Amino acid sequence: MADPRFFPHAGELSLAEVAARTGSKLVNCPDPTVKVDDVAPLEAAKPSDVSFLENRRYLDALARSGAGACLIPGDLVPRAPAHMALLVTGAPRRNFARLGWCFHPEPGFEPGVCPGARVAASARLGAGSRVEPGAVIGERVEIGEGCLIGANTVINDAVVIGCGTRIGANVTLSHSVIGERCEILPGARIGQHGFGFDLGGDGTVRMPHLGRVMIEDDVEIGANCTIDRGAGPDTRIGRGSMLDNLVHLAHNVQLGCGCIVVAQVGIAGSTRLGDHVVIGGQTGIVGHIDIGDRARIAGRAGVHRNIPPDGAVGGSPAVPIDEWRRSVAILRQLARRGPKVLKPGKGGGSNG
Amino acid sequence: MADPRFFPHAGELSLAEVAARTGSKLVNCPDPTVKVDDVAPLEAAKPSDVSFLENRRYLDALARSGAGACLIPGDLVPRAPAHMALLVTGAPRRNFARLGWCFHPEPGFEPGVCPGARVAASARLGAGSRVEPGAVIGERVEIGEGCLIGANTVINDAVVIGCGTRIGANVTLSHSVIGERCEILPGARIGQHGFGFDLGGDGTVRMPHLGRVMIEDDVEIGANCTIDRGAGPDTRIGRGSMLDNLVHLAHNVQLGCGCIVVAQVGIAGSTRLGDHVVIGGQTGIVGHIDIGDRARIAGRAGVHRNIPPDGAVGGSPAVPIDEWRRSVAILRQLARRGPKVLKPGKGGGSNG
Amino acid sequence: MADPRFFPHAGELSLAEVAARTGSKLVNCPDPTVKVDDVAPLEAAKPSDVSFLENRRYLDALARSGAGACLIPGDLVPRAPAHMALLVTGAPRRNFARLGWCFHPEPGFEPGVCPGARVAASARLGAGSRVEPGAVIGERVEIGEGCLIGANTVINDAVVIGCGTRIGANVTLSHSVIGERCEILPGARIGQHGFGFDLGGDGTVRMPHLGRVMIEDDVEIGANCTIDRGAGPDTRIGRGSMLDNLVHLAHNVQLGCGCIVVAQVGIAGSTRLGDHVVIGGQTGIVGHIDIGDRARIAGRAGVHRNIPPDGAVGGSPAVPIDEWRRSVAILRQLARRGPKVLKPGKGGGSNG
């Protein structure tokens, strides 16, 4: 079972209750009153655990698993070992997640301003919200109901935070309007001015960055991300978008809804992403371009041009994904054959 | 107008006053007493806003803009719409920035040590400086006049900070001497020991890092940057250099004056940069090399060798920029033609 | 000498004492009672300093050095200038490090909970440990003896920290068990949930991440690193592994013992590294792969496949290091010769 020091346990459930909560059909189960008490991956699961199988790649792990029960799609039922109760569902992973939250609900918190937190007199704190020790809340900040503000987090003047949003420890927020049910992980920096100046003969003049960061509902921002405020327009993150750790969004960047941005990605100023764009880790995107809805960008890509909706690119500079795969294959072929495949062209040999 | 919750407004100006403050010449303006009250980019500007045009690429936006007035170079005056007052200047963007600061001056602050800040008895705080709640200032720290130390920032023993420097929230500083009028954004980590050890048979011995971080005047350090102190020599950042967010400088790195380092760049130990070097985002530079004055390094480059003054490189490993462009073009050509252009060389085909 | 504001000095030593403390043999030294008072690199060393030479590349620096004494391997003794006392040893750099710590020992600290720190009633703090101002220690946290917890650091409920571990300022820890004698630098984020969710038609469901971060003894974690807790298994870092700044480890990542991970590396979920793996800066490694013991991965690599023990790879996508070098050389050759070496293949020319 998950370490009870860190993950309080809500109690066991019968297999019949598990089936009800996950909307799955119980199969190969002589006794639906048998109790289970946790979720676990196939390799680690014990008889008291529920596991899941979604991908056929893990059929071997299924065969070897000690799980007492398994969420599984209907077509794979015949592949399960005889001892295992089966919970047949079209969405095993999704229901595994839901069941995990049943056994280990997100910990609640006691509302109020903890000793050692500093909340400005003009700030408003919604019912059921908690401000942890050392947090500093500026003038005119508006925090909705049921929010959690982590220890030693700093929220500058006039920031707005929607209901049910959780902000981790040691975060800094300024010039931002945050939606409902967002989660901002520790160490994120949101709303500082961006990187812009005019370099002239008589010294550098910093551009005034007079925009905000607008974050819609249900957004997640990873640990130690940096999201600069807009320069005049706003920096925007659409509903349900998810940013992994150490992501950088420069001023005026706009993300649509449901985007997935993996760790250490950087997006330069004024670039606009549509909805449901997926970006692999460590990719960089230049400024002032447009990335269409549902575009998919491989990890470690360097994107220099617009991508149309549904486009898929990879490489640095990024090209259509098939072209990238071919160029990787060709370079590999060249490297394996050695330089002898390349004969000097006319008059070209002497430059090498 | 910029959101007044976040950007206090200093009041409106007549076009004649705008011309005076920006050193520009008022043209196509029947009434110089007309008032404007903010700056805005061409696309967003209203009749009460001043905008700017510097790059011919945006002539279309100029034609469509609702701006009441526009900072513009003399040769583009005929391209402006008839309704728009024009402020003719050789430096439209620079004056746009200056004007923005007129309408929205950098917010001032009330001097003093806020409740909840902890300043060691032996620390010295200059007149007009402010230490925000939760900041921790160590023994013998010297802070000049007019400095702002953000909430929950930690400044370790003996650090020196010059007049007019602003340090954001949640910053950590140690073993550092910081110049005047610098700005350090939230979450930067400056002065911790670097990454150096001797791996021997009887265990790892960490190298003592006995140098400092020396930051000259007018430097900007982005959010969540990490700048390690020197190992014996110092880590140095020259006057007027600007670092974007999430930049890593290892021990002993030296930057000259006026360098521009875009987000997520990493520079390994003991590498020296001259003056006015520009480094694109996500580039990595190995240790112990020299980068000459005014060198330009493309984003996502991997620099393994010295670069002469005025050199321009790109790619990973980085090569002269023209060579990089050619190699990108050639690889692209190969990928598009497919593998059939490559015929197996003698005896080489069997390795592939 | 190292700046005494930052590096307190433990007093001078005679050359005979230096020889004893470093296990080296004094040679070319008329008077072993001569005192020295610091360590310094060859270029900066004065007569009162001890320097070291380990790599023949620096023989020129040796010849020019003003160091009073030098740690040196036996075979290079004849190359040293006449004025220099020599300390002959098989491990000059390692003994230079040790000697540096003799002159400038890691600063001690006064035990206790500083004013302004908040330690939960149920937390346990070992003898000789110190909690600096503004630190927040949660319920049931266990901190061993002789630990240092930096200012404004937040340690969430039930975290365990072994004896002699030092945690910098502004760190966030949760769901973690940390070993003895570890060092965690400022701004590291350890134990937050990872980046995992199920994207379904009726909205995103976040996966419950019910594992921990397990960090063994003698591990170093750099500034502003992010280390997510496991999803069910734990995220693990083996004994003596060293992470530079801004490294990202996703959920379930496992590092063996003695791994070296240079700055800005990212490792995706569930990837396992053996012992003594070395990873150059800015490299990315995809999830769910295995990297064998003693593998060496060049900087800026993109690793997509398993690497066998002792394997060495480079490039993105990463290939065996020799193949990578060849592909770099070939591409360079192509770029220099220009496109004329490539003749259109049959029917292929029209695609380009």
Side-chain angles (χ1 to χ4, degrees):
Chain A
M1 197 193 295
D3 188 335
R5 287 180 294 187
F6 299 117
F7 303 98
H9 191 257
E12 56 188 15
L13 294 172
S14 72
L15 286 173
E17 288 167 315
V18 168
R21 296 206 186 191
T22 58
S24 57
K25 191 182 150 202
L26 203 45
V27 163
N28 190 29
C29 178
D31 181 2
T33 68
V34 164
K35 305 285 192 182
V36 288
D37 62 9
D38 212 343
V39 293
L42 286 169
E43 315 78 46
K46 299 184 303 297
S48 58
D49 291 323
V50 180
S51 195
F52 80 103
L53 178 75
E54 184 149 325
N55 187 327
R56 281 166 174 274
R57 280 172 55 189
Y58 300 108
L59 279 170
D60 277 2
L62 177 72
R64 285 193 309 267
S65 178
C70 188
L71 293 147
I72 196 165
D75 59 326
L76 297 179
V77 164
R79 312 293 294 269
H83 66 80
M84 202 180 274
L86 300 178
L87 296 144
V88 179
T89 167
R93 184 165 178 268
R94 191 172 184 81
N95 281 311
F96 177 83
R98 285 182 175 137
L99 185 61
W101 292 115
C102 293
F103 287 124
H104 304 282
E106 187 84 61
F109 47 81
E110 204 171 327
V113 176
C114 297
R118 307 214 155 243
V119 180
S122 59
R124 292 203 319 234
L125 187 66
S129 286
R130 175 181 172 89
V131 180
E132 300 212 313
V136 178
I137 314 288
E139 299 291 345
R140 294 168 291 118
V141 167
E142 294 177 32
I143 297 175
E145 299 184 3
C147 292
L148 179 62
I149 310 298
N152 289 337
T153 278
V154 177
I155 302 185
N156 283 303
D157 294 353
V159 164
V160 176
I161 297 173
C163 296
T165 284
R166 291 178 176 227
I167 296 180
N170 297 108
V171 165
T172 314
L173 289 181
S174 72
H175 304 86
S176 301
V177 177
I178 314 281
E180 303 191 349
R181 295 173 308 278
C182 291
E183 183 167 10
I184 298 179
L185 276 77
R189 311 295 162 204
I190 301 179
Q192 57 282 343
H193 71 73
F195 195 61
F197 26 76
D198 193 86
L199 306 165
D202 58 338
T204 299
V205 175
R206 188 148 63 74
M207 301 305 289
H209 279 185
L210 301 170
R212 304 162 297 181
V213 175
M214 307 299 286
I215 296 182
E216 295 181 8
D217 297 342
D218 300 303
V219 165
E220 182 174 315
I221 308 290
N224 283 349
C225 284
T226 61
I227 302 177
D228 292 345
R229 71 173 181 259
D234 297 315
T235 301
R236 287 182 174 274
I237 302 181
R239 181 173 182 142
S241 285
M242 303 275 176
L243 275 62
D244 199 350
N245 298 337
L246 290 168
V247 167
H248 166 69
L249 302 188
H251 55 279
N252 306 354
V253 165
Q254 308 218 354
L255 266 68
C257 297
C259 292
I260 305 284
V261 183
V262 179
Q264 296 176 319
V265 162
I267 306 183
S270 302
T271 281
R272 289 164 301 274
L273 279 70
D275 296 336
H276 301 292
V277 174
V278 177
I279 310 179
Q282 297 190 331
T283 280
I285 306 184
V286 299
H288 296 275
I289 65 171
D290 285 285
I291 310 293
D293 293 344
R294 298 170 306 279
R296 301 178 70 87
I297 305 176
R300 296 190 61 75
V303 180
H304 292 243
R305 301 199 183 170
N306 293 346
I307 303 177
D310 298 297
V313 305
S316 182
V319 292
I321 194 84
D322 291 338
E323 184 179 327
W324 179 54
R325 290 201 182 107
R326 277 198 303 274
S327 73
V328 165
I330 285 170
L331 200 54
R332 192 144 201 205
Q333 226 180 332
L334 281 169
R336 286 184 172 176
R337 287 176 185 177
K340 59 172 84 74
V341 292
L342 296 169
K343 292 166 194 160
K346 265 189 205 166
S350 57
N351 307 339
Chain B
M1 196 194 295
D3 188 335
R5 287 179 295 187
F6 298 118
F7 303 98
H9 191 256
E12 56 188 17
L13 295 173
S14 72
L15 286 172
E17 286 168 316
V18 168
R21 295 207 186 191
T22 59
S24 57
K25 193 182 150 202
L26 204 45
V27 163
N28 190 28
C29 178
D31 181 2
T33 68
V34 164
K35 304 284 191 181
V36 287
D37 63 9
D38 212 343
V39 293
L42 286 169
E43 314 80 46
K46 299 185 301 297
S48 59
D49 292 323
V50 180
S51 196
F52 80 101
L53 177 75
E54 183 149 326
N55 187 327
R56 280 166 174 276
R57 281 173 53 188
Y58 300 108
L59 278 170
D60 277 1
L62 178 71
R64 286 193 307 268
S65 178
C70 187
L71 293 149
I72 195 166
D75 58 326
L76 297 179
V77 165
R79 311 294 291 269
H83 66 80
M84 203 180 273
L86 300 178
L87 295 144
V88 179
T89 165
R93 184 165 179 267
R94 191 172 184 82
N95 281 312
F96 177 83
R98 284 182 177 137
L99 185 60
W101 292 114
C102 292
F103 287 123
H104 304 282
E106 186 86 62
F109 48 79
E110 203 171 326
V113 176
C114 296
R118 308 215 153 243
V119 180
S122 58
R124 292 203 318 233
L125 188 65
S129 286
R130 174 180 172 91
V131 180
E132 301 211 316
V136 178
I137 314 288
E139 300 290 345
R140 293 168 292 117
V141 167
E142 295 177 31
I143 297 175
E145 298 184 3
C147 292
L148 179 61
I149 310 298
N152 289 338
T153 278
V154 178
I155 303 185
N156 282 303
D157 295 353
V159 163
V160 177
I161 296 173
C163 296
T165 284
R166 290 178 177 228
I167 297 180
N170 297 107
V171 166
T172 314
L173 289 181
S174 72
H175 305 86
S176 300
V177 177
I178 315 280
E180 302 190 350
R181 296 173 308 280
C182 291
E183 183 167 10
I184 298 179
L185 276 77
R189 311 296 162 202
I190 301 179
Q192 58 282 343
H193 70 73
F195 195 62
F197 24 76
D198 193 86
L199 306 165
D202 57 339
T204 299
V205 175
R206 187 149 62 74
M207 300 304 290
H209 279 185
L210 302 170
R212 303 162 298 182
V213 175
M214 307 299 286
I215 296 182
E216 294 181 9
D217 297 341
D218 300 302
V219 165
E220 181 174 315
I221 307 289
N224 282 351
C225 284
T226 60
I227 302 177
D228 293 344
R229 71 173 182 258
D234 296 315
T235 301
R236 287 181 175 275
I237 302 181
R239 179 171 184 146
S241 286
M242 303 276 174
L243 275 62
D244 200 349
N245 297 338
L246 290 168
V247 167
H248 166 68
L249 302 189
H251 55 280
N252 307 352
V253 164
Q254 310 218 352
L255 266 68
C257 297
C259 293
I260 305 285
V261 183
V262 179
Q264 296 177 318
V265 162
I267 306 183
S270 301
T271 281
R272 289 164 300 273
L273 279 70
D275 297 336
H276 301 292
V277 173
V278 177
I279 310 179
Q282 297 189 332
T283 281
I285 306 184
V286 299
H288 296 277
I289 66 172
D290 286 285
I291 310 293
D293 293 343
R294 297 171 306 280
R296 300 178 72 88
I297 305 175
R300 295 190 61 76
V303 180
H304 291 243
R305 300 200 183 169
N306 293 346
I307 302 177
D310 298 296
V313 305
S316 182
V319 293
I321 194 84
D322 292 337
E323 184 178 327
W324 179 54
R325 290 199 183 110
R326 277 198 303 274
S327 72
V328 165
I330 286 170
L331 201 54
R332 193 143 201 206
Q333 225 179 333
L334 282 169
R336 288 183 171 177
R337 287 176 186 176
K340 60 172 83 76
V341 292
L342 296 169
K343 293 167 194 159
K346 265 189 204 166
S350 57
N351 306 340
Chain C
M1 196 195 295
D3 188 335
R5 288 180 293 186
F6 299 116
F7 304 99
H9 191 256
E12 56 188 16
L13 295 172
S14 71
L15 287 172
E17 286 167 315
V18 168
R21 295 207 187 191
T22 58
S24 57
K25 192 183 150 199
L26 203 45
V27 162
N28 190 28
C29 178
D31 180 3
T33 69
V34 164
K35 303 286 191 180
V36 286
D37 62 9
D38 212 341
V39 292
L42 286 169
E43 314 78 48
K46 300 185 302 297
S48 59
D49 291 325
V50 180
S51 195
F52 81 101
L53 178 75
E54 185 149 323
N55 187 326
R56 281 168 173 273
R57 281 172 53 188
Y58 300 109
L59 279 170
D60 277 2
L62 178 72
R64 287 194 306 269
S65 178
C70 187
L71 293 148
I72 196 167
D75 59 327
L76 297 179
V77 164
R79 311 294 292 268
H83 66 80
M84 202 180 273
L86 300 177
L87 295 144
V88 179
T89 166
R93 184 165 179 267
R94 191 172 184 80
N95 281 311
F96 177 83
R98 284 182 175 138
L99 185 61
W101 292 115
C102 293
F103 287 123
H104 304 283
E106 187 85 62
F109 47 81
E110 204 169 328
V113 176
C114 296
R118 308 216 154 241
V119 180
S122 59
R124 292 203 319 233
L125 188 66
S129 285
R130 173 181 173 90
V131 180
E132 301 210 316
V136 178
I137 313 288
E139 299 291 345
R140 293 168 292 117
V141 167
E142 295 177 30
I143 296 174
E145 299 184 1
C147 292
L148 179 61
I149 310 298
N152 289 338
T153 279
V154 177
I155 303 185
N156 283 303
D157 295 354
V159 164
V160 176
I161 296 173
C163 296
T165 284
R166 289 177 177 229
I167 296 180
N170 296 107
V171 165
T172 314
L173 289 181
S174 73
H175 304 86
S176 300
V177 177
I178 315 280
E180 303 191 348
R181 296 173 308 278
C182 291
E183 184 167 9
I184 297 179
L185 276 76
R189 311 294 161 204
I190 301 179
Q192 57 282 344
H193 71 73
F195 195 63
F197 25 78
D198 193 85
L199 306 165
D202 57 338
T204 300
V205 176
R206 188 149 64 73
M207 301 303 290
H209 278 185
L210 301 170
R212 305 162 296 182
V213 175
M214 308 299 285
I215 296 182
E216 296 181 7
D217 298 341
D218 301 301
V219 165
E220 183 174 313
I221 308 289
N224 283 351
C225 284
T226 60
I227 302 177
D228 292 345
R229 71 173 181 259
D234 297 316
T235 301
R236 287 182 173 274
I237 302 181
R239 180 172 183 144
S241 285
M242 303 276 174
L243 276 62
D244 200 348
N245 297 338
L246 290 167
V247 167
H248 166 68
L249 302 188
H251 56 279
N252 306 355
V253 165
Q254 309 218 353
L255 266 67
C257 298
C259 293
I260 305 284
V261 183
V262 178
Q264 297 177 318
V265 162
I267 306 183
S270 302
T271 281
R272 290 164 300 274
L273 279 71
D275 297 335
H276 302 292
V277 173
V278 178
I279 310 178
Q282 298 189 331
T283 281
I285 307 184
V286 300
H288 296 276
I289 65 171
D290 286 286
I291 311 293
D293 293 343
R294 298 171 305 281
R296 300 178 72 87
I297 304 175
R300 295 189 63 74
V303 180
H304 291 241
R305 300 199 182 170
N306 292 346
I307 303 177
D310 299 296
V313 305
S316 181
V319 292
I321 194 84
D322 291 338
E323 184 180 326
W324 178 55
R325 290 200 182 109
R326 276 197 304 273
S327 72
V328 165
I330 285 170
L331 200 55
R332 194 146 199 202
Q333 226 179 331
L334 282 169
R336 287 184 171 177
R337 286 176 186 178
K340 62 171 84 75
V341 293
L342 296 169
K343 293 167 196 160
K346 265 189 207 168
S350 57
N351 306 339

